[in-house]
Amino acid sequence: MSPPKDMVSLKDVAQRAGVSLMTVSRAINYPEQLKPETLQRVQQAIASLNYVPDFSARKIRNNNGKKVSTLGVLSLDTATTPFSVDILLAIEDTAREFGWAAFFVNLTSHQDDERTINHLLAQRPDGIIYTAMGLRQVTVPERLKDQNLVLANCTTKENNFPAYVPNDFDGQYQAVRKAIEMGYRRPLCFYLPETAIASQCRRGGAELAWREAGLPPQDLRQFHMADGEGHYPDVVPFIEQHCPHNIPDFDLLICGNDRIAFLAYQVLLTKGITIPQQVAVLGYDNLVGIGDLFLPPLTTVQLPHHEIGREAVLHLIEGRESTGIQTLHCPLLVRQSM
């Protein structure tokens, strides 16, 4: 009978493989030093016992010789895209500010799940942040459910973990309310796919602002992009359809994100339609390094990626007891496109 996985030791592995403790240690740290058949025997013992190496003894110590608390970050595509890398930068900066050490484990495919989780838990982190690129619903790996875990830019179906996410509903609500105050009455909306959590929230915010202003519901024309990255170019025929003879039948284009706005600019300007004199454009995200490069500069809503990362770290450091979804403010950045 195998010992419980949380109690499996190096000695257990050595006994199962019929080798010394030193041989097991070499198999983990210096596998190239072992004969292939010996290495295979040890690896089979590790797999059968579900052993996770304990690297906690290697934790960094401060100048006083005291162990530094560590924060593990499971990054689902967050490190591979420019849109959400601010989350990781904020996590690292905040952890350092409070004397914690942070390490990052990137998760890009389901095939890597087990190996990635093993590597994460091997460091014996004092807290774990599970973060994703783009607000989405995730499934927390079973072995992380009993850990000190907080979600950043993602949620679960059950909402049983603390999760810090953008307040997309209020962000779009404030943006559309501002547009109404500025006199726009013929908006055309081209949102992200209906399946996207953010898209549902943003549409709801726009509808509330329109309804509160007492404007005719049919005048708020709303459409969604089809699922998949390959459908971004669909914005081109969509706008052309609403510009018969190069005359737009809308005075404001509400875009699901800044990438849609980028394509919209090209279509409108190519048709000789001026921004914002003939058509105003409203984006969403404040895409890193891009927002100020639109001509004219794009009015958009800022995703609070920095705040998401910081609050997730503070949740762990301060030992906050709150759970469920915690929304963070998405400020409107008014520029010259509206």
Side-chain angles (χ1 to χ4, degrees), residues 91-291:
I91 289 173
E92 186 174 30
D93 288 344
T94 307
R96 185 185 299 115
E97 177 185 344
F98 288 87
W100 283 47
F103 67 91
F104 300 84
V105 179
N106 196 37
L107 181 62
T108 57
S109 67
H110 293 298
Q111 288 77 16
D112 290 335
D113 278 5
E114 191 64 26
R115 180 176 58 84
T116 302
I117 299 304
N118 278 340
H119 179 62
L120 179 71
L121 295 179
Q123 310 300 322
R124 299 298 191 269
D126 299 287
I128 297 174
I129 296 176
Y130 188 166
T131 179
M133 184 283 293
L135 180 60
R136 66 181 75 176
Q137 190 176 96
V138 300
T139 300
V140 174
E142 195 65 34
R143 295 169 63 199
L144 296 185
K145 289 183 177 179
D146 61 351
Q147 300 292 315
N148 187 18
L149 179 70
V150 62
L151 308 181
N153 210 36
C154 53
T155 64
T156 61
K157 183 178 180 179
E158 301 80 9
N159 287 329
N160 51 351
F161 293 97
Y164 290 87
V165 303
N167 191 339
D168 282 304
F169 184 97
D170 184 68
Q172 193 76 78
Y173 168 80
Q174 297 296 343
V176 173
R177 192 171 75 166
K178 178 66 175 178
I180 293 170
E181 290 175 357
M182 295 175 71
Y184 295 105
R185 293 296 184 271
R186 295 182 294 122
L188 182 65
C189 309
F190 192 70
Y191 298 124
L192 296 173
E194 287 187 89
T195 54
I197 297 175
S199 188
Q200 299 166 16
C201 294
R202 294 173 192 177
R203 177 166 181 155
E207 290 174 348
L208 178 60
W210 198 256
R211 190 164 58 248
E212 285 184 348
L215 298 171
Q218 65 273 17
D219 288 353
L220 181 64
R221 293 172 292 169
Q222 302 181 97
F223 302 86
H224 288 269
M225 185 176 81
D227 281 312
E229 290 288 311
H231 286 284
Y232 272 96
D234 291 352
V235 71
V236 177
F238 172 77
I239 294 177
E240 290 177 341
Q241 177 185 346
H242 290 275
C243 293
H245 309 293
N246 291 343
I247 300 175
D249 65 6
F250 54 97
D251 62 1
L252 169 65
L253 183 64
I254 298 176
C255 301
N257 63 16
D258 292 352
R259 296 170 69 186
I260 292 175
F262 179 77
L263 285 166
Y265 261 55
Q266 296 180 66
V267 179
L268 293 171
L269 296 176
T270 298
K271 289 181 172 295
I273 298 171
T274 56
I275 305 171
Q277 291 81 4
Q278 290 176 268
V279 169
V281 180
L282 171 64
Y284 208 108
D285 288 359
N286 195 31
L287 197 60
V288 176
I290 300 297

Side-chain angles (χ1 to χ4, degrees), residues 11 13-24 38 41-42:
K11 183 178 179 181
V13 176
Q15 290 177 344
R16 175 66 63 90
V19 297
S20 67
L21 292 174
M22 182 61 72
T23 299
V24 177
T38 304
R41 199 158 72 244
V42 175

